[in-house]
């Protein structure tokens, strides 16, 4: 893209090149296709879980991170292969590091999904009614759960099981 191109045309060209990059990754990278299928299942699934906006956004962001890291890894591998197809220790190390980044992003995805889904699938959550919070109760300490008598000295309102 020429540096003299500005405005809407520059944005249109950038969009074109981005879509070409996505198409190239889809056509030439089997791992990207597999992760895209995973994303097509997990992103709509995150909306179906009935979680809050923050949790849903976190689930989607973890899926998108895997796709982004895979695109960067594919670009790195293509650049290394462009330089030389001969085996070289530094080229192998670069590819291995890119692969490790994808692996870590997949671990991140699994941990986030497990923590959020298991948290919402576990035992009923303890909530307080607004009416019971109108009294002069001390704020709940950060070190305990909502119904902890030891830290709260028994002065917390009675929880409602939701």
């Amino acid at each position: 893209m020429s540096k003299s191109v500005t405005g809407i045309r520059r944005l249109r060209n950038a969009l074109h090149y981005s879509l070409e990059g996505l198409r190239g990754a889809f056509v030439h990278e089997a791992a990207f296709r597999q992760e895209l299928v995973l994303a097509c299942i997990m992103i709509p699934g995150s909306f179906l879980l009935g979680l809050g906006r923050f949790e849903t956004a976190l689930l989607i962001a973890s899926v998108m991170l895997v796709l982004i890291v895979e695109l960067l890894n594919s670009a790195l591998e293509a650049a290394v292969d462009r330089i030389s197809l001969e085996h070289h220790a530094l080229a192998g190390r670069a590819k291995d590091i890119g692969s490790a980044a994808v692996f870590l992003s997949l671990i991140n995805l699994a941990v986030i999904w497990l923590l959020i889904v298991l948290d919402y699938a576990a035992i009923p959550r303890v909530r307080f009614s607004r009416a019971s919070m109108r009294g002069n109760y001390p704020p709940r300490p950060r070190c305990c759960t909502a119904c902890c008598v030891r830290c709260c000295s028994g002065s917390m309102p009675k929880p409602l099981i939701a």
Side-chain angles (χ1 to χ4, degrees), residues 12-121:
R12 192 190 66 171
N13 287 346
L15 175 64
H16 171 74
Y17 294 133
S18 297
L19 293 176
E20 282 297 311
L22 287 172
R23 187 184 69 75
F26 185 79
V27 169
H28 299 289
E29 298 294 331
F32 182 74
R33 287 191 299 271
Q34 293 167 353
E35 290 158 355
L36 195 59
V37 168
L38 184 72
C40 289
I41 294 168
M42 294 182 90
I43 290 175
S46 68
F47 290 106
L48 298 175
L49 291 174
L51 304 173
R53 290 181 299 211
F54 179 77
E55 290 87 359
T56 303
L58 194 57
L59 293 176
I60 293 171
S62 66
V63 173
M64 296 300 290
L65 179 66
V66 170
L67 294 176
I68 292 167
V69 174
E70 182 61 47
L71 286 170
L72 292 173
N73 181 47
S74 297
L76 173 73
E77 287 183 357
V80 168
D81 289 344
R82 167 63 174 93
I83 293 169
S84 175
L85 291 177
E86 297 175 13
H87 181 71
H88 190 276
L90 291 176
R93 187 185 322 159
K95 288 184 172 189
D96 291 345
I97 291 171
S99 178
V102 173
F103 179 67
L104 289 177
S105 70
L106 287 167
I107 289 174
N108 178 60
L109 173 111
V111 168
I112 288 174
W113 275 75
L114 283 174
L115 288 176
I116 291 176
V117 171
L118 289 179
D119 182 48
Y120 278 86

Side-chain angles (χ1 to χ4, degrees), residues 126-137:
V126 175
R127 294 188 189 167
F128 296 101
S129 68
R130 291 191 186 270
S132 67
M133 295 301 286
R134 290 191 185 116
N136 292 328
Y137 300 110

